[in-house]
Amino acid sequence: MTDPAATRAAFAHVDAWIFDLDNTLYPAHLSLWEQIDGRIKAYVAKLLNVSEEEAFRVQKDYYKRYGTSLRGLMIEHGMSPDDFLSYVHDIDHSPLQANPELGAAISALPGRKFVFTSGTHAHVAAVTRRLGIDNHFDGVFDIVDAGLLPKPHRVTYEKFLADHGVDATRAAMFEDLARNLEAPHALGMRTVLVVPEKTREVFREAWEFEGRSDDHVDHITDDLTAFLVNLRL
């Protein structure tokens, strides 16, 4: 069992707190990502004039190989991103409920806080408003800010650090995909993998669960709020 005091000591130097959005700042079982996933499939099916089954195969292949389905569509088919981004993030956010405990835990962290997502600013705003945590962040870095080059590309993390003047060796990154923590760890960040509550598995590809025991994952939690609260005890 992890020693809470040792965990606190490991984050004592951190003054920049970087959070992924989907399935990290809200529980994966609320299935907002499933809505986005379904809209990506529908978009791909219409764009390529293929069945939903084939669209799903293409979507997941591009996601795995390029980091996002969007980037795969841009590279393989020359697609313009604007309509895609608007369409796939037009979802029902009502499953999200205000989470004042999470808000208080984020607010209590020393230093600056950021959202770093492969989604859009509009999606971040909608999610954080529903959670009641929209006033707790000092900046947002979205897929457009990244030049449409998503995680896990190292250059994208380097651009975030440069844009916001963050020292990687004084930063912590919270993510739900282990592969997206490899570059932050290499850059010197503390890394935290956020897994489904009580380790419950949700709708994911098998490869998305790989890497949880790798060295670039410093900490694992299935309760982000409790993890953050412990850091301030």
Side-chain angles (χ1 to χ4, degrees):
M1 181 176 294
T2 302
D3 179 2
T7 299
R8 287 193 292 274
F11 288 83
H13 65 294
V14 172
D15 61 13
W17 307 84
I18 307 159
F19 297 88
D20 175 49
L21 183 73
D22 293 307
N23 298 332
T24 298
L25 285 176
Y26 63 83
H29 69 256
L30 294 180
S31 300
L32 261 67
W33 179 251
E34 284 189 49
Q35 293 187 54
I36 295 171
D37 207 52
R39 292 182 72 79
I40 293 173
K41 179 173 67 175
Y43 193 97
V44 173
K46 182 177 180 180
L47 177 72
L48 303 183
N49 192 27
V50 296
S51 68
E52 287 200 351
E53 181 180 9
E54 174 61 11
F56 185 76
R57 186 197 66 76
V58 170
Q59 167 190 351
K60 294 305 179 181
D61 174 50
Y62 289 174
Y63 178 35
K64 184 175 183 179
R65 287 198 286 133
Y66 295 109
T68 60
S69 302
L70 166 62
R71 183 160 179 79
L73 291 169
M74 291 171 60
I75 290 173
E76 299 282 350
H77 303 281
M79 186 194 73
S80 175
D82 294 343
D83 182 59
F84 174 93
L85 289 170
S86 176
Y87 178 83
V88 303
H89 291 104
D90 184 14
I91 63 170
D92 175 17
H93 292 88
S94 65
L96 294 171
Q97 301 297 318
N99 190 341
E101 294 83 7
L102 175 61
I106 293 173
S107 180
L109 296 171
R112 295 182 294 161
K113 300 95 180 184
F114 302 93
V115 175
F116 182 172
T117 178
S118 292
T120 63
H121 276 269
H123 182 52
V124 172
V127 169
T128 56
R129 278 198 305 266
R130 290 288 302 184
L131 292 173
I133 61 174
D134 48 314
N135 293 324
H136 296 306
F137 295 99
D138 298 279
V140 172
F141 187 84
D142 79 342
I143 190 64
V144 177
D145 298 320
L148 302 174
L149 185 66
K151 310 167 190 174
H153 294 278
R154 177 172 172 141
V155 66
T156 298
Y157 299 86
E158 293 172 336
K159 186 174 188 303
F160 162 80
L161 295 170
D163 285 1
H164 291 282
V166 171
D167 178 352
T169 66
R170 298 182 61 83
M173 181 90 193
F174 296 79
E175 253 283 352
D176 69 301
L177 290 178
R179 76 171 187 173
N180 289 346
L181 292 174
E182 187 169 358
H185 185 272
L187 289 164
M189 298 186 203
R190 298 298 298 180
T191 59
V192 183
L193 182 66
V194 181
V195 301
E197 289 183 352
K198 298 180 176 59
T199 68
R200 173 181 173 181
E201 304 295 4
V202 293
F203 179 71
R204 286 290 184 84
E205 295 290 294
W207 66 265
E208 294 180 273
F209 296 106
E210 296 173 356
R212 291 185 176 186
S213 60
D214 290 354
D215 290 343
H216 62 267
V217 177
D218 295 321
H219 307 271
I220 299 178
T221 183
D222 65 353
D223 188 335
L224 176 62
T225 299
F227 188 92
L228 297 178
V229 167
N230 173 66
L231 295 182
R232 305 307 305 151
L233 291 179

